Amino acid sequence: MGTSVSANLNTRRYENGLRRALGGMSNDVKRAVDRTRIDVQNEARRRAPVDTGRLRSSIVSRAETSGRTAGYVIGTNVNYAAAVEYGTAPHVIKPRYKQALYWPGAAHPVASVNHPGTRPQPFMRPAIEMTEIFFRANLSQIRGR
């Protein structure tokens, strides 16, 4: 994945409480973390701005569980994802392969263009920030069975 963020949940506190209350909930806690991973992935997709849909459809996640720590990585391989998430500063655009830039509607070819930059459109960070909310909701479904 080109641009990714990750979240690790120390499930020990939750798992110990669930074990005391319901006994042996390790698999259920892992399932709650996995459901949380899917919820966060879907939230990032929901928040991703759409032009062609390529960015939104490229958002994927995978579980990363090690011992008593359950977590996940969520990301995208789209090379412009960071520019969308964080925005860009004003910059000059120059031609790479030709001597001038031209586009339909331009009065004439130009040697460079001053781009004003783009505003940030965060989609990953707000989704990751919802991890605990999703996790608690998924745990409450386990307790509610």
Side-chain angles (χ1 to χ4, degrees), residues 2 6 29 45 60 66 73 77 79 86 88 95 100 108 111 133 139 144:
S6 63
V29 170
R45 286 179 178 171
V60 295
S66 172
V73 174
N77 63 357
N79 63 352
Y86 298 104
T88 61
H108 52 79
I133 294 166
L139 275 178

Side-chain angles (χ1 to χ4, degrees), residues 48-138:
V50 177
D51 187 12
T52 65
R54 182 171 170 227
L55 175 61
R56 176 177 282 178
S57 66
S58 74
I59 298 169
V60 295
S61 64
R62 71 175 182 272
E64 288 199 345
T65 303
S66 172
R68 289 194 160 281
T69 302
Y72 56 87
V73 174
I74 179 170
T76 172
N77 63 357
V78 172
N79 63 352
Y80 56 84
V84 173
E85 179 82 12
Y86 298 104
T88 61
H91 55 281
V92 176
I93 300 174
K94 294 184 177 184
R96 282 194 207 173
Y97 307 110
K98 307 246 178 178
Q99 292 186 347
L101 296 169
Y102 182 79
W103 57 93
H108 52 79
V110 294
S112 65
V113 174
N114 292 321
H115 191 287
T118 57
R119 65 178 176 75
Q121 298 179 71
F123 59 97
M124 286 284 202
R125 291 173 294 161
I128 285 289
E129 288 169 359
M130 295 183 69
T131 294
E132 189 167 349
I133 294 166
F134 288 135
F135 184 60
R136 286 179 185 271
N138 288 319

